[in-house]
Coordinates of all heavy atoms in Angstrom, one line a residue:
M1 N 0.9 -1.2 0.0 CA 0.0 0.0 0.0 C 0.9 1.2 0.0 O 1.6 1.5 0.9 CB -0.9 0.0 1.3 CG -1.8 1.2 1.4 SD -2.7 1.1 2.9 CE -3.4 2.7 2.9
T2 N 0.8 2.0 -1.1 CA 1.7 3.2 -1.2 C 0.8 4.5 -1.3 O 1.4 5.6 -1.1 CB 2.6 3.1 -2.4 OG1 1.8 2.9 -3.6 CG2 3.6 2.0 -2.3
K3 N -0.4 4.3 -1.6 CA -1.3 5.5 -1.7 C -2.4 5.4 -0.6 O -3.0 4.3 -0.4 CB -2.0 5.4 -3.1 CG -2.6 6.7 -3.6 CD -3.0 6.6 -5.0 CE -3.6 7.8 -5.6 NZ -4.8 8.2 -4.9
A4 N -2.6 6.5 0.0 CA -3.6 6.6 1.0 C -5.0 6.4 0.4 O -5.3 6.8 -0.7 CB -3.6 7.9 1.8
V5 N -5.9 5.8 1.2 CA -7.3 5.5 0.8 C -8.1 6.8 1.0 O -8.1 7.3 2.2 CB -7.9 4.3 1.5 CG1 -9.3 4.2 1.2 CG2 -7.1 3.1 1.2
C6 N -8.8 7.2 0.0 CA -9.7 8.4 0.2 C -10.9 7.9 1.0 O -11.6 7.0 0.6 CB -10.1 9.0 -1.1 SG -11.4 10.2 -1.0
V7 N -11.1 8.5 2.2 CA -12.3 8.1 3.0 C -13.5 8.9 2.6 O -14.6 8.3 2.4 CB -12.0 8.4 4.5 CG1 -13.2 8.1 5.4 CG2 -10.8 7.6 4.9
Q8 N -13.4 10.2 2.4 CA -14.5 11.0 1.8 C -13.9 12.2 1.2 O -12.8 12.7 1.6 CB -15.5 11.4 3.0 CG -14.8 12.2 4.1 CD -15.8 12.6 5.2 OE1 -16.7 11.8 5.5 NE2 -15.7 13.7 5.7
K9 N -14.6 12.8 0.2 CA -14.0 13.9 -0.5 C -14.5 15.2 0.2 O -14.9 16.2 -0.5 CB -14.5 13.9 -2.0 CG -13.9 12.7 -2.7 CD -14.4 12.6 -4.1 CE -13.9 11.4 -4.8 NZ -14.5 11.2 -6.1
S10 N -14.3 15.3 1.4 CA -14.6 16.5 2.2 C -13.9 16.3 3.6 O -13.6 15.2 4.0 CB -16.1 16.6 2.4 OG -16.7 15.5 3.0
P11 N -13.7 17.4 4.3 CA -13.1 17.3 5.6 C -14.0 16.8 6.7 O -15.3 16.9 6.5 CB -12.6 18.7 5.9 CG -13.6 19.6 5.1 CD -13.9 18.8 3.9
F12 N -13.5 16.3 7.7 CA -14.2 16.0 8.9 C -14.2 17.2 9.8 O -13.1 17.7 10.2 CB -13.6 14.8 9.7 CG -13.7 13.5 9.0 CD1 -12.7 13.0 8.2 CD2 -14.8 12.6 9.3 CE1 -12.8 11.8 7.5 CE2 -14.9 11.4 8.7 CZ -13.9 11.0 7.8
T13 N -15.4 17.7 10.2 CA -15.4 18.8 11.2 C -15.5 18.2 12.6 O -16.5 17.5 12.9 CB -16.7 19.7 10.9 OG1 -16.6 20.1 9.5 CG2 -16.7 20.9 11.8
V14 N -14.5 18.5 13.4 CA -14.5 17.8 14.7 C -14.2 18.9 15.8 O -13.3 19.7 15.6 CB -13.4 16.7 14.8 CG1 -14.0 15.4 14.1 CG2 -12.1 17.1 14.2
E15 N -14.9 18.8 16.9 CA -14.6 19.6 18.0 C -13.6 18.8 18.9 O -14.0 17.7 19.4 CB -15.8 20.0 18.8 CG -15.6 21.0 19.9 CD -16.9 21.5 20.5 OE1 -17.8 21.9 19.8 OE2 -16.9 21.4 21.8
L16 N -12.5 19.3 19.1 CA -11.4 18.5 19.8 C -11.0 19.2 21.1 O -11.0 20.4 21.2 CB -10.2 18.4 18.9 CG -10.4 17.7 17.6 CD1 -9.2 17.9 16.7 CD2 -10.7 16.2 17.9
D17 N -10.7 18.4 22.1 CA -10.2 18.9 23.4 C -8.7 19.3 23.2 O -8.0 18.8 22.3 CB -10.3 17.8 24.5 CG -11.8 17.6 24.8 OD1 -12.6 18.5 24.8 OD2 -12.1 16.4 25.2
A18 N -8.2 20.1 24.2 CA -6.8 20.4 24.2 C -6.0 19.1 24.4 O -6.6 18.1 25.0 CB -6.5 21.3 25.4
G19 N -4.8 19.0 23.9 CA -4.0 17.8 24.0 C -3.6 17.3 22.7 O -3.7 17.9 21.7
D20 N -3.0 16.0 22.7 CA -2.5 15.4 21.6 C -3.6 14.6 20.8 O -4.5 14.0 21.4 CB -1.4 14.4 21.9 CG -0.2 15.1 22.5 OD1 0.0 16.3 22.3 OD2 0.6 14.4 23.3
H21 N -3.5 14.7 19.5 CA -4.4 13.9 18.6 C -3.6 13.3 17.5 O -2.6 13.8 17.1 CB -5.5 14.9 18.1 CG -6.3 15.6 19.1 ND1 -7.3 15.0 19.8 CD2 -6.1 16.8 19.7 CE1 -7.8 15.9 20.7 NE2 -7.1 17.0 20.6
Y22 N -4.1 12.2 17.0 CA -3.4 11.5 15.9 C -4.4 11.2 14.7 O -5.3 10.5 14.8 CB -2.9 10.1 16.5 CG -1.9 10.3 17.5 CD1 -2.3 10.4 18.9 CD2 -0.6 10.3 17.3 CE1 -1.4 10.6 19.9 CE2 0.4 10.4 18.3 CZ 0.0 10.6 19.6 OH 0.9 10.8 20.6
W23 N -4.1 12.0 13.6 CA -4.9 11.9 12.4 C -4.4 10.7 11.6 O -3.2 10.4 11.4 CB -4.6 13.2 11.6 CG -5.3 13.3 10.3 CD1 -6.6 13.5 10.0 CD2 -4.6 13.2 9.0 NE1 -6.8 13.5 8.6 CE2 -5.6 13.3 8.0 CE3 -3.3 13.0 8.6 CZ2 -5.3 13.3 6.7 CZ3 -3.0 13.0 7.3 CH2 -4.0 13.1 6.3
C24 N -5.4 10.0 11.1 CA -5.1 8.8 10.2 C -4.7 9.3 8.9 O -5.4 10.0 8.2 CB -6.4 7.9 10.1 SG -6.2 6.7 8.8
A25 N -3.5 8.9 8.5 CA -2.9 9.3 7.2 C -3.2 8.3 6.1 O -3.2 8.6 4.9 CB -1.4 9.5 7.3
C26 N -3.4 7.0 6.5 CA -3.6 5.9 5.5 C -5.0 5.8 5.0 O -5.2 5.3 3.9 CB -3.1 4.6 6.2 SG -4.2 4.0 7.5
G27 N -6.0 6.2 5.8 CA -7.3 6.0 5.3 C -8.0 4.7 5.7 O -9.1 4.4 5.4
L28 N -7.3 3.8 6.5 CA -7.8 2.5 6.8 C -8.5 2.5 8.2 O -9.2 1.5 8.5 CB -6.7 1.5 6.8 CG -6.0 1.3 5.5 CD1 -4.8 0.2 5.6 CD2 -7.0 0.8 4.4
S29 N -8.3 3.5 9.0 CA -8.9 3.5 10.3 C -10.4 3.4 10.3 O -11.1 3.9 9.4 CB -8.5 4.8 11.1 OG -9.2 4.8 12.3
K30 N -10.9 2.6 11.2 CA -12.4 2.5 11.4 C -12.9 3.6 12.3 O -14.1 3.7 12.6 CB -12.7 1.1 12.0 CG -12.3 0.0 11.1 CD -13.3 -0.2 9.9 CE -12.9 -1.4 9.1 NZ -11.7 -1.4 8.4
N31 N -12.0 4.4 12.8 CA -12.3 5.5 13.7 C -11.9 6.9 13.1 O -11.3 7.7 13.7 CB -11.6 5.3 15.1 CG -12.0 6.3 16.1 OD1 -13.2 6.8 16.1 ND2 -11.1 6.8 16.9
Q32 N -12.3 7.1 11.8 CA -12.0 8.3 11.1 C -12.5 9.6 11.9 O -13.5 9.5 12.4 CB -12.5 8.3 9.7 CG -11.9 7.2 8.8 CD -10.4 7.5 8.6 OE1 -10.0 8.7 8.6 NE2 -9.7 6.5 8.3
P33 N -11.7 10.7 11.8 CA -10.4 10.8 11.1 C -9.2 10.5 11.9 O -8.1 10.9 11.5 CB -10.5 12.3 10.7 CG -11.1 12.9 12.0 CD -12.2 11.9 12.4
F34 N -9.4 9.7 12.9 CA -8.2 9.4 13.8 C -7.6 8.0 13.6 O -8.3 7.1 13.1 CB -8.7 9.5 15.3 CG -9.3 10.9 15.5 CD1 -10.7 11.0 15.7 CD2 -8.6 12.0 15.6 CE1 -11.3 12.2 15.9 CE2 -9.2 13.3 15.8 CZ -10.5 13.3 15.9
C35 N -6.4 7.9 13.9 CA -5.7 6.6 13.8 C -6.2 5.6 14.8 O -6.4 5.9 16.0 CB -4.2 6.8 14.0 SG -3.2 5.3 14.0
D36 N -6.4 4.4 14.3 CA -6.8 3.3 15.2 C -5.8 2.1 15.2 O -6.1 1.0 15.7 CB -8.2 2.8 14.9 CG -8.3 2.0 13.6 OD1 -7.3 1.9 12.9 OD2 -9.4 1.4 13.4
G37 N -4.6 2.4 14.5 CA -3.6 1.3 14.5 C -3.7 0.5 13.2 O -2.8 -0.3 13.0
S38 N -4.7 0.7 12.4 CA -4.8 -0.1 11.2 C -3.7 0.1 10.1 O -3.6 -0.7 9.2 CB -6.2 0.2 10.5 OG -7.3 -0.1 11.3
H39 N -2.9 1.1 10.3 CA -1.8 1.4 9.3 C -0.7 0.4 9.5 O 0.2 0.3 8.7 CB -1.3 2.8 9.5 CG -0.7 3.0 10.9 ND1 -1.4 3.4 12.0 CD2 0.6 2.7 11.4 CE1 -0.6 3.5 13.0 NE2 0.6 3.0 12.7
K40 N -0.7 -0.4 10.6 CA 0.4 -1.3 10.8 C 0.7 -2.2 9.6 O -0.3 -2.8 9.0 CB 0.1 -2.2 12.1 CG 0.3 -1.4 13.3 CD 0.4 -2.3 14.6 CE 0.6 -1.5 15.8 NZ -0.7 -0.7 16.2
G41 N 1.9 -2.3 9.2 CA 2.3 -3.2 8.1 C 2.3 -2.3 6.8 O 2.8 -2.8 5.8
S42 N 1.9 -1.1 6.8 CA 2.0 -0.2 5.7 C 3.1 0.8 5.9 O 3.8 0.8 6.9 CB 0.6 0.5 5.5 OG 0.5 1.6 6.4
S43 N 3.3 1.7 4.9 CA 4.3 2.7 5.0 C 3.8 3.9 5.7 O 4.6 4.9 5.8 CB 4.9 3.0 3.6 OG 3.8 3.5 2.8
F44 N 2.6 3.9 6.1 CA 2.0 5.1 6.7 C 2.1 5.1 8.3 O 2.2 4.1 8.9 CB 0.5 5.2 6.4 CG 0.3 5.5 4.9 CD1 0.2 4.5 4.0 CD2 0.2 6.8 4.5 CE1 0.0 4.7 2.7 CE2 0.0 7.1 3.2 CZ -0.1 6.1 2.2
T45 N 2.2 6.3 8.8 CA 2.2 6.6 10.2 C 1.2 7.7 10.5 O 1.0 8.6 9.6 CB 3.5 6.9 10.8 OG1 4.1 8.0 10.1 CG2 4.5 5.7 10.8
P46 N 0.6 7.7 11.6 CA -0.4 8.8 11.9 C 0.4 10.2 12.1 O 1.6 10.2 12.3 CB -1.0 8.4 13.2 CG -0.1 7.5 13.8 CD 0.6 6.8 12.7
V47 N -0.4 11.2 11.9 CA 0.2 12.6 12.1 C -0.3 13.1 13.4 O -1.5 13.3 13.6 CB -0.3 13.5 10.9 CG1 0.2 15.0 11.2 CG2 0.2 13.1 9.6
K48 N 0.7 13.3 14.3 CA 0.3 13.9 15.6 C 0.2 15.4 15.6 O 1.0 16.0 15.0 CB 1.4 13.5 16.6 CG 1.2 14.0 18.0 CD 2.4 13.6 18.9 CE 2.2 14.2 20.3 NZ 3.5 14.0 21.1
F49 N -0.8 15.9 16.2 CA -0.9 17.4 16.4 C -1.5 17.6 17.8 O -2.1 16.8 18.4 CB -1.8 18.0 15.3 CG -3.2 17.6 15.3 CD1 -4.2 18.4 15.8 CD2 -3.6 16.3 14.7 CE1 -5.5 18.0 15.7 CE2 -4.9 15.9 14.7 CZ -5.9 16.8 15.2
T50 N -1.1 18.8 18.3 CA -1.4 19.2 19.7 C -2.2 20.5 19.7 O -1.8 21.5 19.0 CB -0.1 19.3 20.5 OG1 0.6 18.1 20.3 CG2 -0.4 19.5 21.9
L51 N -3.3 20.5 20.5 CA -4.0 21.7 20.6 C -3.9 22.3 22.0 O -3.8 21.5 23.0 CB -5.5 21.4 20.3 CG -5.9 20.9 18.9 CD1 -7.4 20.7 18.8 CD2 -5.4 21.9 17.9
D52 N -3.8 23.6 22.1 CA -3.6 24.2 23.4 C -5.0 24.4 24.1 O -5.0 24.5 25.3 CB -3.0 25.6 23.3 CG -1.6 25.6 22.7 OD1 -1.0 24.5 22.9 OD2 -1.2 26.6 22.1
K53 N -6.0 24.4 23.3 CA -7.4 24.6 23.9 C -8.4 23.9 23.1 O -8.1 23.4 21.9 CB -7.7 26.1 23.9 CG -7.6 26.8 22.6 CD -8.0 28.3 22.7 CE -7.7 29.1 21.5 NZ -8.3 28.7 20.3
K54 N -9.6 23.7 23.6 CA -10.7 23.1 22.9 C -11.0 23.9 21.6 O -11.1 25.1 21.7 CB -11.9 23.1 23.8 CG -13.0 22.2 23.2 CD -14.1 22.1 24.3 CE -15.2 21.1 23.8 NZ -16.0 20.6 25.0
E55 N -11.1 23.2 20.5 CA -11.2 23.9 19.2 C -11.9 23.1 18.2 O -11.8 21.8 18.2 CB -9.8 24.2 18.6 CG -9.4 25.6 18.5 CD -8.0 25.8 18.0 OE1 -7.0 25.3 18.6 OE2 -7.8 26.3 16.9
T56 N -12.6 23.7 17.2 CA -13.1 23.0 16.1 C -12.1 23.0 14.9 O -11.6 24.1 14.6 CB -14.5 23.7 15.6 OG1 -15.4 23.6 16.7 CG2 -15.0 23.0 14.4
K57 N -11.9 21.8 14.4 CA -10.9 21.7 13.3 C -11.5 21.0 12.1 O -12.5 20.2 12.3 CB -9.7 20.9 13.8 CG -8.8 21.7 14.8 CD -8.1 22.8 14.2 CE -7.2 23.5 15.1 NZ -6.6 24.8 14.5
Y58 N -10.9 21.2 10.9 CA -11.4 20.6 9.7 C -10.3 19.6 9.2 O -9.3 20.1 8.6 CB -11.7 21.6 8.6 CG -12.8 22.6 9.1 CD1 -12.4 23.8 9.8 CD2 -14.1 22.2 9.0 CE1 -13.4 24.6 10.3 CE2 -15.1 23.1 9.5 CZ -14.7 24.3 10.2 OH -15.7 25.1 10.7
L59 N -10.4 18.4 9.6 CA -9.4 17.4 9.3 C -9.6 16.7 7.9 O -10.8 16.3 7.6 CB -9.3 16.3 10.4 CG -9.1 16.9 11.8 CD1 -9.0 15.8 12.8 CD2 -7.8 17.7 11.9
C60 N -8.6 16.6 7.2 CA -8.7 16.0 5.8 C -9.3 14.6 5.8 O -8.8 13.7 6.5 CB -7.3 16.0 5.2 SG -7.3 15.2 3.6
G61 N -10.3 14.4 5.0 CA -10.9 13.1 4.8 C -10.5 12.4 3.5 O -10.6 11.2 3.4
C62 N -9.9 13.2 2.6 CA -9.5 12.6 1.3 C -8.1 12.0 1.4 O -7.7 11.2 0.6 CB -9.6 13.6 0.2 SG -8.4 14.9 0.2
K63 N -7.4 12.5 2.4 CA -6.0 12.0 2.7 C -5.0 12.5 1.7 O -3.9 11.9 1.6 CB -6.0 10.5 2.9 CG -7.0 9.9 3.8 CD -6.9 10.4 5.2 CE -7.9 9.8 6.1 NZ -7.9 10.3 7.5
A64 N -5.4 13.5 0.9 CA -4.4 14.0 -0.1 C -4.0 15.4 0.2 O -3.3 16.1 -0.6 CB -5.1 13.9 -1.5
T65 N -4.4 16.0 1.3 CA -4.0 17.3 1.7 C -2.5 17.5 1.7 O -1.7 16.6 2.0 CB -4.6 17.7 3.0 OG1 -4.1 19.0 3.4 CG2 -4.1 16.8 4.1
K66 N -2.1 18.7 1.3 CA -0.6 19.0 1.4 C -0.3 19.6 2.7 O 0.9 19.9 3.0 CB -0.3 20.1 0.3 CG -0.6 19.6 -1.1 CD 0.4 18.6 -1.6 CE 0.3 18.3 -3.1 NZ -1.0 17.6 -3.4
T67 N -1.3 19.8 3.6 CA -1.0 20.4 4.9 C -1.6 19.5 6.0 O -2.5 19.9 6.7 CB -1.6 21.8 5.0 OG1 -3.0 21.7 4.7 CG2 -0.9 22.8 4.1
P68 N -1.2 18.2 6.0 CA -1.8 17.3 7.0 C -1.6 17.8 8.4 O -0.5 18.3 8.7 CB -1.1 16.0 6.7 CG 0.2 16.4 6.0 CD -0.1 17.6 5.2
P69 N -2.6 17.6 9.3 CA -3.8 16.8 9.1 C -5.0 17.7 8.6 O -6.1 17.2 8.6 CB -4.1 16.3 10.6 CG -3.6 17.5 11.4 CD -2.4 18.0 10.7
F70 N -4.7 18.9 8.3 CA -5.8 19.8 8.0 C -6.2 19.9 6.5 O -5.3 19.8 5.6 CB -5.5 21.2 8.5 CG -5.0 21.2 9.9 CD1 -3.7 21.5 10.3 CD2 -6.0 20.9 10.9 CE1 -3.3 21.4 11.6 CE2 -5.6 20.9 12.3 CZ -4.3 21.1 12.6
C71 N -7.4 20.0 6.2 CA -7.9 20.1 4.9 C -7.4 21.4 4.2 O -7.4 22.5 4.9 CB -9.5 20.2 4.9 SG -10.2 20.6 3.3
D72 N -6.9 21.3 3.0 CA -6.3 22.5 2.3 C -7.1 22.7 1.0 O -6.6 23.5 0.1 CB -4.8 22.3 2.0 CG -4.5 21.3 1.0 OD1 -5.5 20.5 0.6 OD2 -3.4 21.2 0.6
G73 N -8.2 22.0 0.8 CA -9.0 22.2 -0.4 C -8.7 21.3 -1.5 O -9.3 21.3 -2.6
T74 N -7.6 20.5 -1.4 CA -7.2 19.5 -2.4 C -8.4 18.6 -2.9 O -8.5 18.2 -4.0 CB -6.0 18.7 -2.0 OG1 -4.9 19.5 -1.7 CG2 -5.6 17.6 -3.0
H75 N -9.3 18.3 -1.9 CA -10.4 17.4 -2.2 C -11.3 17.9 -3.4 O -11.9 17.2 -4.1 CB -11.3 17.1 -1.0 CG -11.9 18.3 -0.5 ND1 -11.4 19.2 0.5 CD2 -13.1 18.9 -0.8 CE1 -12.2 20.2 0.7 NE2 -13.3 20.0 0.0
N76 N -11.2 19.2 -3.6 CA -12.0 19.8 -4.7 C -11.5 19.5 -6.1 O -12.2 19.7 -7.1 CB -12.0 21.3 -4.6 CG -12.9 21.8 -3.4 OD1 -14.0 21.3 -3.2 ND2 -12.4 22.7 -2.6
K77 N -10.2 18.9 -6.1 CA -9.6 18.6 -7.4 C -10.0 17.2 -7.9 O -9.6 16.8 -9.0 CB -8.1 18.7 -7.3 CG -7.7 20.2 -7.1 CD -6.2 20.3 -6.9 CE -5.7 21.7 -6.5 NZ -4.4 21.7 -5.8
F78 N -10.7 16.4 -7.1 CA -11.0 15.0 -7.5 C -12.2 15.0 -8.4 O -13.1 15.9 -8.3 CB -11.3 14.2 -6.3 CG -10.2 13.9 -5.4 CD1 -10.2 14.1 -4.0 CD2 -8.9 13.5 -6.0 CE1 -9.1 13.8 -3.2 CE2 -7.8 13.3 -5.2 CZ -7.9 13.4 -3.8
Ligands
FES1 FE1 -4.4 5.3 9.4 FE2 -3.1 4.8 11.7 S1 -4.9 3.9 11.0 S2 -2.5 6.1 10.1
FES2 FE1 -8.6 16.4 2.0 FE2 -10.0 18.6 2.0 S1 -10.7 16.7 2.6 S2 -8.0 18.3 1.3

């Protein structure tokens, strides 16, 4: 597996608590948009990001963003 699986052609809007979060980069997680360990055995690893406070974020669902873990509009090119 060398290409991430597109989960959806739009971002996940999620309200997140302060602290560490792990975005699924491979697209195989059953707990989108977060890593659940399903990437094991592939070349993918989750993208860790940390929030200082509770915030709403737009996490990439197509897995093709150039600014992971955040949606950058790339999904509009599909
Ligand atoms: Fe996709 Fe971990 S399950 S990066
Ligand atoms: Fe992937 Fe927007 S959902 S770039």
Side-chain angles (χ1 to χ4, degrees):
M1 177 183 175
T2 54
K3 195 172 181 297
V5 174
C6 174
V7 177
Q8 62 180 34
K9 293 177 183 173
S10 58
F12 289 90
T13 305
V14 284
E15 189 174 310
L16 297 169
D17 289 330
D20 295 339
H21 302 279
Y22 296 85
W23 175 75
C24 168
C26 69
L28 298 178
S29 172
K30 299 284 186 291
N31 183 37
Q32 292 295 333
F34 306 104
C35 175
D36 71 352
S38 297
H39 62 270
K40 284 196 178 72
S42 78
S43 56
F44 290 91
T45 51
V47 175
K48 179 185 175 186
F49 63 103
T50 306
L51 298 179
D52 295 335
K53 57 180 171 51
K54 189 171 187 162
E55 243 180 297
T56 298
K57 291 291 185 187
Y58 301 92
L59 301 183
C60 174
C62 72
K63 310 301 179 184
T65 178
K66 301 284 189 296
T67 58
F70 308 110
C71 171
D72 69 352
T74 298
H75 64 268
N76 287 317
K77 295 179 187 155
F78 292 132

